[in-house]
Amino acid sequence: MGSKVIVIFIILLVLAISVYGTNNDGSFSRQKILEVERKLQHLRKHSLKTIQSEDGDTIDCIDINKQPAFDHPALKDHKIQMAPSYTSAKKGTTEVTKTRSKTNVKLTSQQVWRKSGSCPKGTIPVRRIRKRELLKAHSIDEYGRKKPSILNRKVSDKLNQNVDSFVQQQNHSKAIVFAYGFRYVGGKGDIRVAYPFVEKDDEYSTAQVSLINGSYDYYELVESGWAVNPSVYGDRNTRLFVYWTADGSHRTGCFDLTCPGFIQTNSEIALGATIYPIPIPGGLPYQITIYIQKDEMTNNWWVQYGEEKTNIGYWPSELFMGMRSNAESVEWGGEVYSTAVGHTPHTKTQMGSGFYGSWGYPVAASILGMRVHDNYPMWKIPEWVDKFSDEYNCYNVEYIADYVDDPLFYYGGPGRNIRCP
Ligand SMILES: *[C@@H]1O[C@H](CO)[C@@H](O)[C@H](O)[C@H]1NC(C)=O
Ligand SMILES: *[C@@H]1O[C@H](CO)[C@@H](O)[C@H](O)[C@H]1NC(C)=O
């Protein structure tokens, strides 16, 4: 009898360890280590060249036709598209806005790893996932994915000036402007690069342009911008990212190429790579210009970088349902994830530059040059935008559209302080 109980106990213990992946002393189970090794080996299999970047990143140059996306079951027969079909249709992409004032100096940021080499033709640079971050992830499947959107149905409190606070997502705090009311097939923004402090390793702070379809807790989304995300990247550098989900991040989607999904065509830009140079206080601001646009011929969602619209790659239409036709809204702004938002003590993780959006120029983080693409055949300044912030006292927004040629948007905040205890 006694030995049976012990056997059952041991079986349960083994099961528990394999489910949670960590042993009692915090070390990782043999099974998880093996699983992680297998995944990393698989990803490295098609590497034709390896570049060691001075910021600690390793870049694998992977055969473009063997990139991670093609491990996705829906993409087995997908034929890679090398450029969006709309680039040849020049009329459709001409911008209808006035040139901006000369004082608005723009500098495009670059990537650190390019100092150490480049990827040969026919390959794409893929930032190598580090073993440590993959081991620390709750599961290999969840690595690289944002925490799911789950609604907190709390009654709108009076302190929070935002009437929409009752639809706040658990542990997510956003400060955004969004355009809605049309069928969107494109969104664009010039996102100033910032270096927010992120308090804990499982928290993140991002700034992005997003196209969204669906409800608050279940939606399809594609987005791109910069992120400080230690649990994915292993440090607190500001990095260029793309992200997608087809279900509010419950089971699908991820950053960059960390899961099968996004198809990259560019051989010079590494997703998830550190952005440099780091601006000096009072120096010129750096920015990343992001265009996201659906190709009407293929229904793939393309991402282009910089004013010159360099193709990075695309999310194939196979990943989505509603977004095969269009998105319901375009969003610009910042997001903080922490289990310490929405209550006291609040996280000290900053959004944007760490200054309130309402402080405006020059200290607050900003997104300029916001454009949308709907059924009108050109990029245009969004006509209908709304502001939103989950925690007005922690992170807020300022949108200036009157008496300016081009709307200005400031967002962000310091997280915990006297106003946000
Ligand atoms: C996406 O939008 C379409 C309409 O454009 C709608 O029919 C569909 O249900 C939406 N998808 C989701 C996931 O809500
Ligand atoms: C939010 O944080 C709590 C811990 O405070 C955690 O139990 C919960 O799973 C988190 N929810 C999400 C969606 O991340």
Side-chain angles (χ1 to χ4, degrees):
M1 265 311 243
S3 65
K4 255 191 195 161
V5 171
I6 289 172
V7 167
I8 290 171
F9 177 76
I10 288 173
I11 291 173
L12 286 177
L13 190 67
V14 167
L15 279 178
I17 288 171
S18 57
V19 166
Y20 290 105
T22 29
N23 299 327
N24 282 342
D25 61 356
S27 65
F28 299 101
S29 72
R30 199 178 135 70
Q31 197 204 339
K32 185 156 190 182
I33 293 171
L34 286 175
E35 217 182 320
V36 163
E37 295 279 1
R38 256 202 310 275
K39 162 124 181 159
L40 292 177
Q41 288 237 319
H42 176 73
L43 291 175
R44 234 170 280 171
K45 201 170 61 185
H46 300 294
S47 175
L48 299 176
K49 181 179 172 184
T50 298
I51 296 165
Q52 199 57 55
S53 172
E54 66 184 45
D55 63 350
D57 277 3
T58 304
I59 304 290
D60 285 310
C61 305
I62 305 260
D63 182 338
I64 189 167
N65 292 305
K66 306 220 164 100
Q67 59 182 298
F70 296 111
D71 289 336
H72 195 291
L75 299 175
K76 269 205 300 260
D77 302 316
H78 181 89
K79 200 169 171 321
I80 195 165
Q81 185 184 9
M82 285 310 292
S85 55
Y86 54 77
T87 41
S88 47
K90 283 214 175 61
K91 243 171 77 191
T93 54
T94 335
E95 198 152 333
V96 276
T97 50
K98 296 173 202 145
T99 39
R100 267 180 273 153
S101 63
K102 285 196 197 78
T103 51
N104 194 355
V105 181
K106 291 177 295 174
L107 293 173
T108 303
S109 29
Q110 299 170 52
Q111 298 194 316
V112 176
W113 70 275
R114 287 298 301 284
K115 294 192 207 166
S116 312
S118 61
C119 277
K121 250 190 128 143
T123 69
I124 56 159
V126 179
R127 180 185 178 273
R128 189 181 288 184
I129 298 170
R130 294 182 209 182
K131 198 194 289 181
R132 193 163 37 117
E133 278 66 58
L134 202 51
L135 278 169
K136 276 200 271 185
H138 184 67
S139 77
I140 288 192
D141 278 350
E142 271 172 48
Y143 170 79
R145 187 173 312 140
K146 288 190 180 184
K147 294 296 189 299
S149 296
I150 297 168
L151 292 193
N152 253 352
R153 297 206 177 272
K154 60 169 190 187
V155 201
S156 152
D157 57 294
K158 292 209 175 63
L159 275 177
N160 193 324
Q161 302 174 20
N162 204 306
V163 286
D164 271 346
S165 65
F166 63 94
V167 293
Q168 192 189 340
Q169 292 176 14
Q170 267 182 30
N171 309 344
H172 293 257
S173 197
K174 281 185 169 187
I176 56 170
V177 286
F178 59 101
Y180 60 101
F182 289 91
R183 293 161 172 266
Y184 299 99
V185 294
K188 180 246 163 180
D190 303 329
I191 309 171
R192 287 276 157 85
V193 179
Y195 300 84
F197 167 72
V198 170
E199 188 181 3
K200 297 211 178 88
D201 280 356
D202 64 348
E203 303 180 333
Y204 53 74
S205 183
T206 63
Q208 61 265 328
V209 183
S210 320
L211 285 105
I212 304 163
N213 189 66
S215 59
Y216 288 99
D217 52 353
Y218 197 89
Y219 49 81
E220 298 178 324
L221 164 145
V222 293
E223 67 186 8
S224 179
W226 58 251
V228 179
N229 189 342
S231 66
V232 173
Y233 302 118
D235 60 21
R236 283 166 169 73
N237 291 351
T238 296
R239 293 164 179 276
L240 171 74
F241 80 93
V242 300
Y243 185 84
W244 69 278
T245 177
D247 63 357
S249 296
H250 289 270
R251 322 201 86 177
T252 64
C254 63
F255 282 93
D256 313 329
L257 306 177
T258 59
C259 71
F262 189 81
I263 295 180
Q264 184 166 335
T265 57
N266 190 294
S267 63
E268 295 178 350
I269 295 171
L271 296 171
T274 302
I275 293 166
Y276 95 105
I278 296 183
I280 39 166
L284 292 168
Y286 285 83
Q287 67 180 23
I288 50 179
T289 291
I290 300 288
Y291 287 87
I292 300 177
Q293 186 179 356
K294 199 188 77 158
D295 182 338
E296 297 289 358
M297 304 289 285
T298 58
N299 294 333
N300 296 331
W301 284 88
W302 276 87
V303 185
Q304 295 171 309
Y305 181 87
E307 286 301 337
E308 64 290 354
K309 295 189 185 169
T310 305
N311 297 327
I312 295 183
Y314 62 92
W315 294 277
S317 68
E318 288 92 328
L319 301 175
F320 307 110
M321 299 291 285
M323 291 242 322
R324 283 184 198 187
S325 63
N326 63 270
E328 294 167 326
S329 65
V330 184
E331 231 178 72
W332 298 265
E335 176 183 348
V336 163
Y337 174 86
S338 165
T339 55
V341 301
H343 56 83
T344 307
H346 197 277
T347 179
K348 286 187 206 152
T349 292
Q350 301 175 335
M351 183 192 292
S353 61
F355 291 98
Y356 284 107
S358 55
W359 289 19
Y361 184 83
V363 289
S366 59
I367 300 181
L368 309 172
M370 292 172 284
R371 298 289 180 273
V372 294
H373 211 306
D374 49 31
N375 45 16
Y376 186 72
M378 289 179 209
W379 289 98
K380 62 182 189 188
I381 293 173
E383 288 162 62
W384 306 101
V385 302
D386 230 330
K387 299 185 285 187
F388 175 86
S389 77
D390 280 307
E391 303 174 287
Y392 190 84
N393 294 312
C394 308
Y395 314 109
N396 67 13
V397 298
E398 181 84 32
Y399 184 73
I400 302 164
D402 294 336
Y403 312 111
V404 288
D405 288 348
D406 204 346
L408 305 165
F409 171 56
Y410 299 97
Y411 69 95
R416 186 183 340 153
N417 73 95
I418 299 163
R419 280 169 64 184
C420 171

